[in-house]
Amino acid sequence: MAETNFVQPETRRNELLGVLREGLQDFSISRQHVRWGVPLPDDPQQVLYVWVDALLNYITAIGYGDDETAFQRYWPADVQLMAKEIIRFHCLYWPAMLMAAGLPIPRLVFAHGWLTKDGQKLSKTTGNIIDPFELVQRFGSDAVRYFFLREGAFGADWDYTDSAFIRRYNADLANDFGNLLNRTVQMVVRYFDGTVPQGGELEPGDRNLLALAAGLRERVEDALQRIALHEVLTLIWNLVEDANKYVQATTPWELAKARKAGSAQAGERLATVLYSLVDVLRLLGCYLAPVMPRKSKELLAQLGLDFAPQAGWAKLTSVGLYPAGTRIQPGGVLFPRYEQ
């Protein structure tokens, strides 16, 4: 086990390796004088230890001993997601039980950390709670998913505060992401009567942005394999930030003035810049669909597109596939700025 990545993250893996170095002891699979539980067939005074009984549900629920076809389809699990305080049962007892039965073990067990609020443990008794329904009512479910996947490193403990939520909502979603969509859509409407133009010859700045967009898939897939969900969103947001910098660097409003003054070259350059921005927004809508299904659909609708997952991950995340000549459909503000 010391040479595998069976347990993640590394902190939890090291914790279990420490237990193994101390030497393992036998443990009883039954308990006596417990009024509830599954009685042992040969001793009615004993019931099955709950951590044996409960763990078996992972395989009996998917057909073990009853539906071999279903069992072979779903087992072994690619990932079992656990709380960090119960990893000994899932990473030592559970694999031992499976191997004793001649069954494969899960490919990976990932232990998530604890969430606190304002530096204190969550508690209904003290009233220190995070109300997801209230957050969704104020900010929408997409923003809530984004924050909880982005703010803390998945697998580590981290602390929630209302101020952190509002700060990230306004900075990431309202300012960086929502404003990028809004200003791009408005420029297409203003400068090309709402029809996305065909881009022309690329300049170094265009190539740099599109190269970052093209390379995003490999980096995202790597982070997903490591279940670094916060890193996935960080990578995607790097592209959001790069696209905003690209707008400032290319100054499409100045190109529009030059085109109006009679510069055909400025007009072609303006078309290239806006096409590149729209295509990057299309990619962002596809990448963010699992986290923001509603807002991604709204974004793509404003670009005149439907989300078509059947097209496949590779095609959805390929650069340059936005159909030029499509009419933009301006909509509402994606993430209205939150004022307390």
Side-chain angles (χ1 to χ4, degrees):
M1 187 176 291
E3 298 178 356
T4 73
N5 291 319
F6 171 63
V7 180
Q8 290 293 324
E10 189 175 358
T11 51
R12 304 280 82 84
R13 177 173 170 268
N14 290 338
E15 179 183 327
L16 286 167
L17 290 174
V19 174
L20 290 175
R21 291 188 191 100
E22 293 174 359
L24 297 178
Q25 303 294 324
D26 291 340
F27 69 92
S28 174
I29 67 166
S30 67
R31 293 293 185 269
Q32 192 173 9
H33 303 307
V34 179
R35 294 183 180 180
W36 51 268
V38 179
L40 293 187
D42 57 351
D43 188 349
Q45 298 301 314
Q46 298 276 340
V47 295
L48 199 61
Y49 180 36
V50 66
W51 276 111
V52 175
D53 179 13
L55 292 168
L56 290 172
N57 282 294
Y58 291 125
I59 56 176
T60 57
I62 56 173
Y64 178 67
D66 179 56
D67 186 341
E68 186 63 21
T69 301
F71 180 64
Q72 292 296 329
R73 177 183 178 187
Y74 293 111
W75 195 263
D78 290 319
V79 180
Q80 282 202 267
L81 184 63
M82 295 299 142
K84 67 176 186 177
E85 69 271 21
I86 53 175
I87 56 173
R88 181 176 297 206
F89 304 104
H90 287 88
C91 302
L92 297 179
Y93 296 5
W94 179 224
M97 291 166 56
L98 289 167
M99 288 188 283
L103 297 173
I105 66 174
R107 297 185 177 95
L108 172 68
V109 177
F110 190 94
H112 65 77
W114 289 342
L115 179 63
T116 57
K117 181 187 177 188
D118 299 322
Q120 302 294 322
K121 182 180 179 181
L122 296 179
S123 169
K124 289 187 291 184
T125 303
T126 63
N128 192 51
I129 62 172
I130 303 169
D131 187 341
F133 298 102
E134 190 267 341
L135 282 177
V136 168
Q137 186 175 24
R138 287 165 66 193
F139 300 100
S141 59
D142 285 13
V144 172
R145 268 190 297 270
Y146 173 77
F147 176 80
F148 281 97
L149 287 173
R150 173 76 193 275
E151 181 71 8
F154 196 64
D157 298 343
W158 63 279
D159 189 59
Y160 169 91
T161 64
D162 287 335
S163 60
F165 191 110
I166 294 170
R167 183 169 57 252
R168 189 168 286 282
Y169 174 90
N170 281 335
D172 291 10
L173 301 179
N175 292 355
D176 291 349
F177 188 41
N179 191 43
L180 176 64
L181 173 67
N182 184 62
R183 69 198 306 195
T184 301
V185 166
Q186 292 304 319
M187 286 190 290
V188 172
V189 170
R190 187 179 305 120
Y191 304 142
F192 288 95
D193 196 28
T195 299
V196 178
Q198 178 67 58
E201 184 176 350
L202 299 179
E203 294 189 2
D206 313 322
R207 294 191 189 94
N208 289 340
L209 177 66
L210 298 178
L212 290 168
L216 184 58
R217 184 199 310 161
E218 183 178 353
R219 296 191 294 275
V220 165
E221 287 176 351
D222 174 68
L224 284 172
Q225 287 297 321
R226 294 181 282 108
I227 318 185
L229 303 183
H230 61 290
E231 188 176 324
V232 169
L233 288 171
T234 299
L235 290 167
I236 294 171
W237 237 253
N238 287 342
L239 182 58
V240 173
E241 293 169 358
D242 289 331
N244 278 307
K245 292 176 183 176
Y246 174 78
V247 174
Q248 294 304 119
T250 55
T251 58
W253 47 90
E254 297 296 338
L255 293 171
K257 290 180 183 177
R259 184 185 68 163
K260 190 174 181 180
S263 172
Q265 184 179 6
E268 182 179 337
R269 180 78 190 121
L270 178 62
T272 301
V273 168
L274 290 183
Y275 178 87
S276 298
L277 284 170
V278 170
D279 196 44
V280 166
L281 281 165
R282 174 188 64 84
L283 291 172
L284 290 170
C286 294
Y287 275 113
L288 288 169
V291 178
M292 303 182 186
R294 293 179 176 85
K295 294 300 182 180
S296 290
K297 187 175 181 180
E298 288 180 26
L299 180 151
L300 292 170
Q302 291 199 40
L303 301 183
L305 302 174
D306 292 322
F307 180 57
Q310 65 273 16
W313 172 248
K315 185 173 182 180
L316 289 173
T317 55
S318 294
V319 171
L321 296 185
Y322 183 86
T326 301
R327 286 198 61 80
I328 290 289
Q329 303 292 330
V333 176
L334 207 60
F335 290 99
R337 184 172 177 81
Y338 182 80
E339 299 294 345
Q340 227 172 347

